[in-house]
Amino acid sequence: MYSRAVEQAFEHPAHAGKLSGACGAAGSRETGTRVEFSMQVASGRISRMCFQAYGCPHTIAACELAVESLLGHPPEALGCWDPGGAAERLKIPVEKTGKLLLIQDALRNCLQDWDTTELDVTE
Amino acid sequence: MYSRAVEQAFEHPAHAGKLSGACGAAGSRETGTRVEFSMQVASGRISRMCFQAYGCPHTIAACELAVESLLGHPPEALGCWDPGGAAERLKIPVEKTGKLLLIQDALRNCLQDWDTTELDVTE
Amino acid sequence: MIYLDYAATTPVDERVAEVMSRCLVSPELFANSASSHAPGRRVNQAIESAREQVAGMINAAARELIWTSGATESDNLAIIGAARFRSNRGRHLVTSVTEHKAVLDSCHALEKEGFDVSFLHPDEFGVLAPEDVSAAITEATTVVSIMHVNNETGVIQDIRAIGEICRSRDVLFHVDAAQSFGRLPIDVRADHIDMLSLSAHKTYGPKGAGALFLDARRIGRVAPLLHGGGHERGLRPGTLPTHQVLGMSKALEIAQRNLAGEPPRIAALRDHLWQRISTIPAVQLNGHEARRSCHILNVSVAGVEGESLLYGMRDFALSSGSACISDAAEPSYVLKSLGRSDQLAQGSVRFSLGRFTTRAEVDQAADAFAATVARLRDLSPYGLPDGMD
Amino acid sequence: MIYLDYAATTPVDERVAEVMSRCLVSPELFANSASSHAPGRRVNQAIESAREQVAGMINAAARELIWTSGATESDNLAIIGAARFRSNRGRHLVTSVTEHKAVLDSCHALEKEGFDVSFLHPDEFGVLAPEDVSAAITEATTVVSIMHVNNETGVIQDIRAIGEICRSRDVLFHVDAAQSFGRLPIDVRADHIDMLSLSAHKTYGPKGAGALFLDARRIGRVAPLLHGGGHERGLRPGTLPTHQVLGMSKALEIAQRNLAGEPPRIAALRDHLWQRISTIPAVQLNGHEARRSCHILNVSVAGVEGESLLYGMRDFALSSGSACISDAAEPSYVLKSLGRSDQLAQGSVRFSLGRFTTRAEVDQAADAFAATVARLRDLSPYGLPDGMD
Ligand SMILES: Cc1ncc(COP(=O)(O)O)c(C=O)c1O
Ligand SMILES: Cc1ncc(COP(=O)(O)O)c(C=O)c1O
């Protein structure tokens, strides 16, 4: 039901929290899932990134994994985050695909927010 | 279901058989029960008596018991045989009462047969 | 007491009892299989693997098998459930007069709802002609229900031939296999069976456990008889009894594994018994000499009253008719359908043999039977009948 | 793994397992209780004395009790059976929206047959007002079905008051007592209960075993759902599962004997658990504070997603709704009927305690629950909610 990778990420989310900086969210409590990402960029690369999530274990784990995979990459990587790859790594069941698309939305919103502010902390 | 007394009489019917002499029968194979009694009278008393039966264990036991109780009595006793007493002694269930009434009929027929022939072997 | 009533029920095989006893006290297997927590999922897995195993034995897929409380419930669910669900296609069923009461009474219940049922008559040996089934099927027929092995006579019906006819006429074919599983091979595909009823306690498994096979390609749904909770694809609600399911699958597994060895051994004992009993004058075999399951020998004795015959044999657990209706002292409807008179039907005995029957037991039964018949004929005013009445 | 899901099912008590295991291998107890030979009669006697025993526990007579495969079947047989049998007197039933699916789906099945059903709403604490039952009864009402103890919240209905109303209006009163037997006293006479459903596996007995009480003075018959063979006064056919019946009666006997001691002990544990959990901010009790069975504590937690809450508690076997429908991830209809939002209903946990629950286990559960809630709220963008949403 829940893979070892989900359990790991659920139990020890290293990147939970909220940063001042660019942020993007998607979902709502009423629909059962809300995810928010926030990040800071230094020298054109994501230097710090956090998430908050109200949602199922798969959602929490996927958020954690997304942050881990994006850190150190250029912010544009947020637009290319691959839900399918996450689903595979975490062994997320198909009926949960909607949650991954929510995360994709939130990441894109975060990128958009960064695009409008372009706040690079090295500058 | 079957009392010890029924078992005894069913297993060891001491008076099975057919005698020349007065006889009386009742019932038929088609109705599931047929009983036949035959007896000899000496000095005004039943000296020998036998039965044959096609029927359930209760019927066989009741026939045996009837013969035992009648031996040594005057033939008129056949007319007074008491089905209730037999039912009680053998612990025969009420739904089997019909079988006892058949036996009563056969005994009465036997008495009638004797009445018409009046064959007393001492004479 | 010598038990020769295996067609009524069988003792639970030790290996089955052990599986069940362990399940009953297992801290790993007591949860509710419908619970989503880990213990529940573990139980669910055990039940599902039992389902796969049992389904495999009849060449079915796991999702085609539903657990029930026994063959009675399976028969009801198959016949009533399928007939009601297809009632807009037609309201006619075909069965035979020698079916088990669970089938006959299900049909009678449907008659009260306005269905028509054709009750076919097997021949004097208890064998149903497949052509008769074919002739009985009409445009309105939706379900044909014919048992594999008769519980009183052991007669085997030609279910493959009947299955072929049903398939070609696009009618659902239900088979009550309560008596045949573990005694004859069953392949729902090769036999064209759409619905099959199984019972655990006829093959050394627990009472109160059964299954119903429903061909997934032919039957989307049947109308459930019980409601609530959505278990078993919505067809049979109620918390699944894990120990019963595991016990049933173990029992069926053993029976299936023994299919090559056990039935021939039992058939040899049964033949030996018949050989000995057939020397008694005016004794008659009920059912077909050859088309008969290994475990049943049913004989009628002329000139001997049935109750006394059984009572004379009271050191043996025997049946004079179907155990399921033996409370009623009416002569067996199955034997009457073979043309036996009330008296002959009454004066009949079903010996049914099984896994634990020995040759010595069979010999004792034959001795006792011969002695009892002789003694009762001696007692009878009719004596030894000239012929069979 | 700590098991706190006793309302879903209970482990089989060792003494019960022993009775059943012995029965399964007993050469004295394997025959078919419908067989008229001595072994059959012996089994029948064992079953009948179990019947007398269980009937006695609810102040009923043996002939008023029918063995079934569980409370699901009992509910179906009572409601559908009685409604159909009395359909010429009227075609209206009364029940409540918080009943078990076995009751609700039986009612829905009747609706499809043209019956009308009034589904009453309990108040925000889950308690049904007897006056509402009274108001719902019409000239056409034949059956009222109200459960004794709710399986999700543990709320106890005032069945005696409802029973009085039904009796005075000459309407049959059915009570699902699957959760209450062994936890609360039940007296079918004093409570004016006409039909009562029991299940063995909720009180340390085997799964797949149940009973239905039918008041002999008030109910001649119900329409059977299964047909064939005439067992159980023609109301429930199929070979009786001796080991299940004996196991059930043993389990109920133990539960009944412990009625004075066990429920208070469990209630104290449950109160301790609630005392500890209620210190967590924005946690809410589901159901009535006082009118509640000893074994259930159902709480809603604001601001915490349900699946993650349960996953965080995965070292504990817990339920988020009725086990019987937990496969479907829909928010519990029982909690929604108390006015909980989808989110709160989802973010709810049912702790259910039993015979083998210890204070240490309860403390561990409280610790883990507090930690999980805190952690998930930390993770959540909503943080700690101001109030209950
Ligand atoms: C042919 C047949 N069908 C159905 C049944 C009923 O099976 P169960 O006792 O499992 O309900 C039996 C046995 O009683 C049987 O012999
Ligand atoms: C209140 C209630 N009624 C009925 C049932 C069904 O009982 P069984 O599993 O014995 O069919 C349950 C449990 O699942 C229950 O809690």
Side-chain angles (χ1 to χ4, degrees):
Chain A
M1 220 172 172
Y2 301 101
S3 66
R4 191 88 194 96
V6 167
E7 185 179 358
Q8 276 293 330
F10 176 88
E11 277 304 313
H12 310 288
H15 302 90
K18 185 156 180 81
L19 301 169
S20 63
C23 62
S28 74
R29 186 179 342 200
E30 288 62 41
T31 57
T33 308
R34 167 86 178 175
V35 296
E36 297 186 11
F37 291 94
S38 52
M39 68 167 178
Q40 292 172 355
V41 176
S43 314
R45 309 243 155 204
I46 301 171
S47 58
R48 297 177 67 200
M49 188 168 179
C50 280
F51 76 96
Q52 290 190 307
Y54 170 91
C56 71
H58 296 112
T59 303
I60 291 170
C63 287
E64 170 64 20
L65 232 78
V67 173
E68 281 174 20
S69 70
L70 290 165
L71 274 167
H73 289 271
E76 289 70 25
L78 268 64
C80 322
W81 181 75
D82 170 27
E88 203 167 309
R89 271 193 63 191
L90 293 170
K91 298 205 182 64
I92 292 177
V94 278
E95 63 270 23
K96 290 276 180 90
T97 306
K99 317 278 183 188
L100 295 176
L101 298 179
L102 260 182
I103 293 174
Q104 190 176 41
D105 276 357
L107 290 171
R108 284 178 181 162
N109 291 342
C110 189
L111 174 60
Q112 204 171 9
D113 190 40
W114 187 78
D115 279 344
T116 52
T117 57
E118 292 261 359
L119 192 71
D120 190 319
V121 292
T122 52
E123 280 165 19
Chain B
M1 220 171 171
Y2 301 99
S3 67
R4 191 91 192 96
V6 167
E7 187 179 357
Q8 275 292 330
F10 176 87
E11 278 302 313
H12 310 289
H15 303 90
K18 188 159 178 74
L19 301 169
S20 62
C23 62
S28 72
R29 186 179 343 200
E30 289 61 42
T31 59
T33 309
R34 166 87 180 174
V35 295
E36 298 186 12
F37 292 94
S38 52
M39 68 169 177
Q40 292 173 355
V41 177
S43 312
R45 310 244 153 202
I46 301 171
S47 57
R48 297 177 68 200
M49 189 169 178
C50 281
F51 77 95
Q52 290 190 304
Y54 170 92
C56 72
H58 296 112
T59 302
I60 292 171
C63 287
E64 169 64 21
L65 233 78
V67 172
E68 282 173 18
S69 70
L70 290 165
L71 275 167
H73 289 271
E76 290 69 28
L78 268 64
C80 321
W81 182 73
D82 170 27
E88 203 167 309
R89 271 192 63 191
L90 293 170
K91 299 204 183 66
I92 292 178
V94 277
E95 63 269 23
K96 291 276 181 90
T97 306
K99 317 278 183 188
L100 296 175
L101 298 180
L102 260 183
I103 293 173
Q104 192 176 40
D105 277 356
L107 291 170
R108 284 179 181 161
N109 291 342
C110 190
L111 175 59
Q112 205 171 6
D113 191 39
W114 188 79
D115 278 345
T116 52
T117 57
E118 292 262 0
L119 192 72
D120 190 318
V121 291
T122 53
E123 283 165 16
Chain C
M1 173 69 67
I2 290 175
Y3 190 80
L4 292 172
D5 205 10
Y6 283 83
T9 194
T10 57
V12 173
D13 188 290
E14 273 182 11
R15 293 160 286 184
V16 173
E18 206 198 301
V19 164
M20 294 178 67
S21 297
R22 256 193 283 128
C23 177
L24 284 170
V25 296
S26 165
E28 305 291 307
L29 285 175
F30 78 82
N32 191 321
S33 67
S35 294
S36 54
H37 46 58
R41 290 199 310 274
R42 199 159 45 219
V43 171
N44 188 51
Q45 269 160 24
I47 286 174
E48 292 312 313
S49 87
R51 197 193 301 275
E52 199 168 324
Q53 195 183 17
V54 172
M57 296 177 203
I58 54 170
N59 197 17
R63 76 204 146 88
E64 298 180 304
L65 205 79
I66 286 164
W67 302 116
T68 68
S69 65
T72 296
E73 185 182 345
S74 298
D75 287 347
N76 275 263
L77 182 54
I79 296 170
I80 300 180
R84 281 191 190 149
F85 194 73
R86 307 198 154 215
S87 59
N88 53 358
R89 298 199 201 176
R91 300 172 72 84
H92 178 246
L93 295 90
V94 176
T95 187
S96 94
V97 294
T98 57
E99 297 295 309
H100 190 267
K101 281 280 183 191
V103 168
L104 294 178
D105 288 353
S106 291
C107 288
H108 291 140
L110 286 171
E111 284 183 319
K112 286 198 194 133
E113 294 177 23
F115 288 82
D116 273 326
V117 185
S118 299
F119 295 93
L120 304 181
H121 285 266
D123 66 17
E124 60 184 306
F125 304 108
V127 177
L128 189 66
E131 310 84 75
D132 289 356
V133 174
S134 181
I137 294 175
T138 70
E139 281 288 293
T141 310
T142 55
V143 179
V144 169
S145 180
I146 300 296
M147 72 204 313
H148 195 187
V149 163
N150 184 275
N151 47 301
E152 292 195 44
T153 60
V155 168
I156 303 167
Q157 301 301 349
D158 189 351
I159 52 169
R160 184 165 300 185
I162 299 170
E164 255 168 36
I165 290 166
C166 292
R167 189 63 54 98
S168 75
R169 305 285 290 278
D170 200 25
V171 166
L172 291 182
F173 181 37
H174 168 252
V175 173
D176 178 339
Q179 292 288 346
S180 63
F181 188 94
R183 300 185 174 99
L184 291 170
I186 299 171
D187 180 326
V188 291
R189 306 295 174 214
D191 296 338
H192 309 294
I193 296 170
D194 301 312
M195 307 187 273
L196 184 94
S197 298
L198 295 172
S199 178
H201 76 96
K202 306 288 187 186
T203 39
Y204 314 96
K207 295 170 184 47
L212 175 62
F213 157 78
L214 294 172
D215 187 307
R217 284 168 294 189
R218 304 251 309 153
I219 309 170
R221 259 186 90 67
V222 297
L225 300 177
L226 300 173
H227 310 273
H231 310 73
E232 301 293 280
R233 301 194 283 124
L235 299 183
R236 208 295 184 172
T239 304
L240 283 170
T242 318
H243 64 294
Q244 297 278 88
V245 164
L246 299 190
M248 174 161 179
S249 86
K250 183 70 184 175
L252 269 52
E253 176 206 322
I254 296 171
Q256 186 80 350
R257 208 179 332 117
N258 289 348
L259 202 49
E262 190 168 285
R265 187 191 77 85
I266 293 169
L269 287 178
R270 186 221 32 204
D271 291 342
H272 174 65
L273 181 59
W274 174 228
Q275 203 190 319
R276 292 213 41 203
I277 282 179
S278 60
T279 63
I280 301 171
V283 159
Q284 192 172 350
L285 181 73
N286 291 317
H288 195 276
E289 176 95 39
R291 296 188 59 85
R292 203 147 43 90
S293 172
C294 61
H295 67 311
I296 294 179
L297 174 68
N298 193 319
V299 295
S300 281
V301 195
V304 170
E305 194 274 339
E307 189 181 332
S308 281
L309 179 59
L310 266 195
Y311 187 61
M313 296 289 291
R314 69 190 171 284
D315 289 342
F316 301 81
L318 292 169
S319 211
S320 56
S322 172
C324 301
I325 54 155
S326 63
D327 248 14
E330 285 164 35
S332 150
Y333 65 89
V334 171
L335 299 183
K336 291 211 64 177
S337 83
L338 307 183
R340 302 285 174 268
S341 68
D342 278 10
Q343 293 322 305
L344 263 187
Q346 263 248 329
S348 77
V349 169
R350 178 184 72 184
F351 298 90
S352 56
L353 286 54
R355 184 168 295 164
F356 310 109
T357 304
T358 64
R359 191 173 166 104
E361 288 178 337
V362 163
D363 276 322
Q364 276 177 271
D367 289 343
F369 193 69
T372 302
V373 170
R375 215 166 66 70
L376 290 174
R377 282 180 175 160
D378 263 1
L379 263 181
S380 163
Y382 303 118
L384 175 64
D386 313 322
M388 303 300 286
D389 65 48
Chain D
M1 172 67 68
I2 290 174
Y3 190 80
L4 292 172
D5 205 10
Y6 283 83
T9 194
T10 57
V12 173
D13 188 290
E14 273 182 12
R15 293 161 285 185
V16 173
E18 206 198 300
V19 164
M20 293 178 67
S21 297
R22 256 193 284 130
C23 177
L24 284 171
V25 296
S26 165
E28 305 291 306
L29 285 174
F30 77 82
N32 192 319
S33 68
S35 294
S36 55
H37 46 58
R41 292 199 308 274
R42 198 158 48 220
V43 171
N44 188 52
Q45 268 161 26
I47 286 173
E48 291 312 313
S49 89
R51 198 192 301 274
E52 197 169 328
Q53 195 183 17
V54 172
M57 297 178 200
I58 54 170
N59 197 18
R63 77 206 145 86
E64 297 180 305
L65 205 79
I66 285 165
W67 302 116
T68 68
S69 66
T72 295
E73 185 182 346
S74 299
D75 287 347
N76 274 263
L77 183 54
I79 296 169
I80 300 179
R84 281 190 190 151
F85 194 73
R86 307 197 155 215
S87 59
N88 53 357
R89 297 198 200 176
R91 300 172 72 85
H92 178 245
L93 294 89
V94 176
T95 187
S96 95
V97 295
T98 57
E99 296 295 310
H100 189 268
K101 281 281 183 190
V103 168
L104 294 178
D105 288 352
S106 291
C107 289
H108 292 138
L110 286 171
E111 284 183 320
K112 286 197 193 134
E113 295 177 23
F115 288 82
D116 274 325
V117 184
S118 299
F119 295 94
L120 304 181
H121 285 265
D123 66 18
E124 60 184 308
F125 304 108
V127 178
L128 188 66
E131 310 84 74
D132 289 356
V133 175
S134 181
I137 294 174
T138 71
E139 281 289 293
T141 310
T142 54
V143 179
V144 169
S145 179
I146 299 296
M147 71 203 316
H148 195 185
V149 163
N150 184 275
N151 46 302
E152 293 196 43
T153 60
V155 168
I156 303 167
Q157 302 300 349
D158 189 351
I159 51 168
R160 184 165 298 188
I162 299 169
E164 256 168 35
I165 290 165
C166 292
R167 191 61 56 96
S168 76
R169 306 285 291 277
D170 199 24
V171 165
L172 291 183
F173 182 37
H174 168 251
V175 173
D176 179 340
Q179 292 289 344
S180 62
F181 188 94
R183 301 184 174 101
L184 291 169
I186 299 171
D187 180 327
V188 292
R189 305 296 174 211
D191 297 338
H192 308 294
I193 296 170
D194 300 312
M195 306 187 274
L196 184 93
S197 298
L198 295 172
S199 178
H201 76 97
K202 307 287 187 186
T203 38
Y204 315 95
K207 296 171 183 47
L212 175 62
F213 157 77
L214 294 172
D215 187 307
R217 283 167 295 189
R218 305 249 310 153
I219 309 170
R221 260 188 88 67
V222 297
L225 301 176
L226 301 174
H227 311 273
H231 309 74
E232 301 293 278
R233 301 195 283 125
L235 299 182
R236 208 294 184 173
T239 304
L240 283 170
T242 317
H243 63 295
Q244 297 279 89
V245 164
L246 299 190
M248 174 160 181
S249 87
K250 184 71 185 176
L252 269 54
E253 176 205 321
I254 295 171
Q256 185 80 349
R257 206 178 336 115
N258 290 349
L259 202 50
E262 190 168 286
R265 187 190 77 84
I266 293 169
L269 287 177
R270 187 224 28 208
D271 292 342
H272 174 65
L273 181 60
W274 173 228
Q275 203 191 318
R276 291 213 40 204
I277 281 179
S278 59
T279 62
I280 300 170
V283 159
Q284 194 172 347
L285 181 72
N286 292 317
H288 194 277
E289 177 95 38
R291 295 188 58 84
R292 204 148 40 92
S293 173
C294 60
H295 67 311
I296 294 178
L297 174 68
N298 192 320
V299 296
S300 281
V301 195
V304 171
E305 193 273 338
E307 189 181 331
S308 279
L309 179 59
L310 266 196
Y311 187 61
M313 295 291 288
R314 69 190 170 284
D315 289 342
F316 301 81
L318 292 170
S319 211
S320 56
S322 170
C324 300
I325 53 155
S326 63
D327 247 14
E330 286 163 35
S332 149
Y333 65 89
V334 172
L335 300 182
K336 291 211 66 179
S337 83
L338 306 183
R340 301 288 175 265
S341 68
D342 278 8
Q343 293 322 304
L344 263 187
Q346 263 250 328
S348 77
V349 169
R350 177 184 74 183
F351 298 90
S352 56
L353 286 54
R355 183 168 296 164
F356 309 110
T357 305
T358 64
R359 192 173 166 103
E361 288 178 338
V362 163
D363 276 322
Q364 276 176 270
D367 290 343
F369 193 69
T372 301
V373 169
R375 214 165 68 68
L376 290 173
R377 281 180 176 160
D378 263 2
L379 262 181
S380 165
Y382 304 117
L384 175 63
D386 314 324
M388 303 300 286
D389 65 47

